Amino acid sequence: MASKPSIPKGTRDFSPTEVAKRQYIIQIIKSNFEKFGFQPIETPSFENSDTLMGKYGEEGDRLIFKILNSGDYLGKANSAHLENKDSTKLTSSISEKALRYDLTVPFARYVVQHQNEIEFPFKRYQIQPVWRADRPQKGRFREFFQCDADVVGSKSLWQEVELVQLYDTVFTTLGLEGVTIKINNRKILSGIAEVIGASDKLIDFTVALDKLDKIGEDGVKKEMIEKGIDENAILKVQPLFNFTGSISEKIEKLSSLLSASDEGMKGVEELRFICDNVAKLGLASAILDLDVTLARGLNYYTGAIFEVAPPKSVAMGSIGGGGRYDDLTGIFGLKNMSGVGISFGLDRIYLVIEELNLFPETVTATSKALFINYGDAKAFYAMQAIQKLRASGIKVELYPDNAKVAKQFQHADKRAIPFAVIIGDQEIDSKSYSLKNLVTGEQILVDFEKLKDALL
């Protein structure tokens, strides 16, 4: 007996309706990327392992899907590693390629490889799937799309200002009002660690601080102590645990806290520039907020850090994020190529829009009308109209079989097709069409132009 078919955990099949909704989101993101001057590129779904490994930290490396070498991959394996069952060392000899973990590192590789063909500053966008061997849960999948926009070759903070505006424009267009764009700066986190004498514990300090909203103040302090951060040092950052006020007030508090750190003050001034100009230009519906606990991507972010939270009425993780990286291409030999970028989490955005019932009713994968098949002569008359309607961009179709009329109408109903077009001898003689609204039941006789107008 054949086994029941299934798909791997953390992956999904998408129905026609789901695909239509996903394409609706992608089209809005894509059109705004292009409106802001970003150009599209695509990279392979898999890269050489050495392109990806070591770029995301130890945890990230564990989540990269490795691809076994073709053919007798064990034949070339290191026998000692194989005998000792040393999977970490064995992997490099049996797997030379891996599925991409994100779009940023492949983009850095692309820039270095094509640097002589690119006009800098280079603004690129990329909408492609990525893969992570993560534990599946709500809003977290092992295969998912990322929608990235990056600028490389410019250190101007106006890029950060524009990326905040880009987030605001996309989410406003999607009807997702009230998202919070959280901003911080890696230099501020470095400055705080420097001021409290814990520069050597920067990663431990920021990873713990990043968990404030999950484990609370006591939990963060406990983790910091467990990581070897002195209690007196923790006492110096007490203000961070109740960091409230407007953005300008928070910036002034940071100025006071970080006055002894040159690095920290650089971060403060960068934040001041970005936030002041965003405030002056205004946002349509998003909220910009300074969050000093935000510490994502520390392995390559060097300046501004972004993370987008959905409207407060939805319990969901971040739906976007990004930041400034001053030397990401340096990992591939191209030094001093500053960049900044953001990403939209398509799958989580989909879930949020679905939960808030914000998809327009017009977003559908179905046809606008089904022509009922009454035999070949009438089907040919129908196909002549169908051909012209499709040329006008209208989605219509002919039921392919001369089946019972009830079955054809049932098919239209199950497909949620709103109209049926009925053609008999009378319609052919008068060069007309009977158009039936399958929602109201109303049926009218129309000529071709009125048929087209009704289906537009």
Side-chain angles (χ1 to χ4, degrees):
M1 182 176 175
S3 60
K4 185 178 179 181
S6 63
I7 58 174
K9 288 182 180 179
T11 64
R12 297 148 296 160
D13 289 323
F14 297 108
S15 69
T17 300
E18 289 168 329
V19 170
K21 290 178 177 178
R22 286 167 64 85
Q23 289 177 343
Y24 163 76
I25 298 171
I26 288 171
Q27 187 54 45
I28 286 176
I29 294 173
K30 179 183 174 182
S31 64
N32 281 291
F33 279 167
E34 294 178 356
K35 196 184 297 181
F36 277 68
F38 292 89
Q39 299 175 285
I41 68 163
E42 291 187 358
T43 60
S45 58
F46 56 93
E47 297 271 353
N48 292 324
S49 296
D50 56 9
T51 297
L52 304 178
M53 298 299 289
K55 311 303 189 301
Y56 307 102
E58 188 177 333
E59 184 181 355
D61 281 355
R62 285 199 302 269
L63 299 181
I64 292 174
F65 276 108
K66 286 80 175 177
I67 300 173
L68 289 174
N69 293 338
S70 301
D72 183 14
Y73 57 88
L74 282 180
K76 298 178 181 178
N78 183 294
S79 56
H81 297 160
L82 187 60
E83 188 175 337
N84 295 330
K85 297 182 179 179
D86 189 336
S87 58
T88 303
K89 292 179 179 176
L90 182 63
T91 300
S92 60
S93 64
I94 64 173
S95 172
E96 297 170 355
K97 300 175 185 66
L99 293 177
R100 60 172 172 244
Y101 176 88
D102 72 353
L103 298 178
T104 306
V105 170
F107 172 53
R109 189 267 310 152
Y110 175 94
V111 170
V112 175
Q113 197 169 339
H114 299 274
Q115 58 186 288
N116 295 326
E117 308 153 28
I118 293 172
E119 171 62 27
F120 295 103
F122 180 44
K123 301 176 75 171
R124 88 80 167 85
Y125 77 83
Q126 205 169 340
I127 302 175
Q128 288 186 279
V130 299
W131 294 266
R132 295 182 186 178
D134 217 339
R135 184 172 66 86
Q137 53 185 288
K138 183 182 179 183
R140 179 172 290 177
F141 308 100
R142 287 176 171 170
E143 179 186 60
F144 58 97
F145 266 72
Q146 282 189 339
C147 310
D148 284 13
D150 289 78
V151 188
V152 290
S154 171
K155 293 183 178 180
S156 170
L157 294 175
W158 284 111
Q159 306 290 0
E160 278 86 339
V161 172
E162 280 215 312
L163 290 174
V164 172
Q165 291 181 313
L166 176 56
Y167 265 142
D168 177 53
T169 303
V170 168
F171 288 121
T172 300
T173 307
L174 287 170
L176 268 181
E177 298 186 356
V179 304
T180 301
I181 304 169
K182 300 177 184 178
I183 186 171
N184 196 13
N185 195 296
R186 166 65 188 266
K187 296 182 179 73
I188 283 173
L189 294 167
S190 299
I192 293 169
E194 180 186 340
V195 166
I196 66 173
S199 292
D200 60 328
K201 300 280 187 181
L202 173 62
I203 301 295
D204 292 332
F205 169 77
T206 51
V207 167
L209 188 63
D210 197 31
K211 297 176 182 176
L212 183 61
D213 61 339
K214 299 181 184 72
I215 62 177
E217 180 180 337
D218 291 340
V220 170
K221 288 179 177 177
K222 181 184 176 185
E223 184 169 324
M224 286 181 176
I225 291 169
E226 288 173 351
K227 295 293 185 180
I229 299 172
D230 187 78
E231 287 190 38
N232 289 328
I234 297 172
L235 194 62
K236 291 179 182 178
V237 294
Q238 182 62 40
L240 297 182
F241 295 114
N242 296 287
F243 208 68
T244 57
S246 66
I247 289 180
S248 58
E249 289 169 342
K250 289 178 180 178
I251 288 176
E252 292 312 313
K253 288 179 184 178
L254 285 173
S255 295
S256 176
L257 182 66
L258 299 173
S259 58
S261 168
D262 290 342
E263 179 81 351
M265 289 307 295
K266 284 180 186 175
V268 169
E269 291 311 311
E270 288 179 10
L271 272 184
R272 195 193 304 275
F273 180 91
I274 298 165
C275 295
D276 282 357
N277 281 293
V278 169
K280 289 174 186 174
L281 291 165
L283 296 175
S285 69
I287 301 158
L288 184 65
D289 185 38
L290 170 53
D291 183 353
V292 290
T293 69
L294 184 59
R296 60 183 289 135
L298 284 177
N299 285 307
Y300 50 77
Y301 290 140
T302 55
I305 308 168
F306 299 106
E307 188 168 279
V308 183
K312 290 182 173 62
S313 59
V314 182
M316 181 71 69
S318 64
I319 55 176
R324 164 75 63 174
Y325 41 88
D326 276 337
D327 197 26
L328 187 64
T329 55
I331 58 180
F332 299 117
L334 182 59
K335 299 291 184 183
N336 303 316
M337 182 63 73
S338 185
V340 60
I342 58 173
S343 181
F344 290 81
L346 171 65
D347 297 286
R348 286 188 177 181
I349 292 170
Y350 180 105
L351 291 173
V352 173
I353 293 176
E354 186 89 324
E355 187 169 329
L356 295 175
N357 197 29
L358 293 175
F359 281 111
E361 290 183 9
T362 53
V363 178
T364 175
T366 196
S367 295
K368 197 71 181 286
L370 178 71
F371 281 70
I372 305 301
N373 191 329
Y374 285 95
D376 288 345
K378 298 172 181 72
F380 180 77
Y381 180 84
M383 285 299 294
Q384 290 176 302
I386 287 170
Q387 192 173 29
K388 290 188 282 186
L389 290 170
R390 287 173 177 167
S392 298
I394 301 170
K395 294 187 285 187
V396 289
E397 60 184 282
L398 171 73
Y399 192 86
D401 303 309
N402 183 13
K404 291 182 179 179
V405 173
K407 182 179 179 181
Q408 297 188 48
F409 276 104
Q410 190 177 50
H411 178 76
D413 184 54
K414 288 180 177 178
R415 293 268 311 280
I417 296 175
F419 292 97
V421 181
I422 300 162
I423 297 167
D425 293 331
Q426 178 188 346
E427 282 79 10
I428 293 176
D429 291 343
S430 61
K431 295 183 180 179
S432 60
Y433 310 84
S434 288
L435 178 66
K436 183 169 185 175
N437 186 317
L438 298 179
V439 178
T440 65
E442 180 187 6
Q443 182 171 317
I444 55 174
L445 191 68
V446 294
D447 61 17
F448 177 79
E449 287 304 317
K450 286 183 180 177
L451 175 67
K452 185 171 81 169
D453 291 344
L455 297 178
L456 277 172

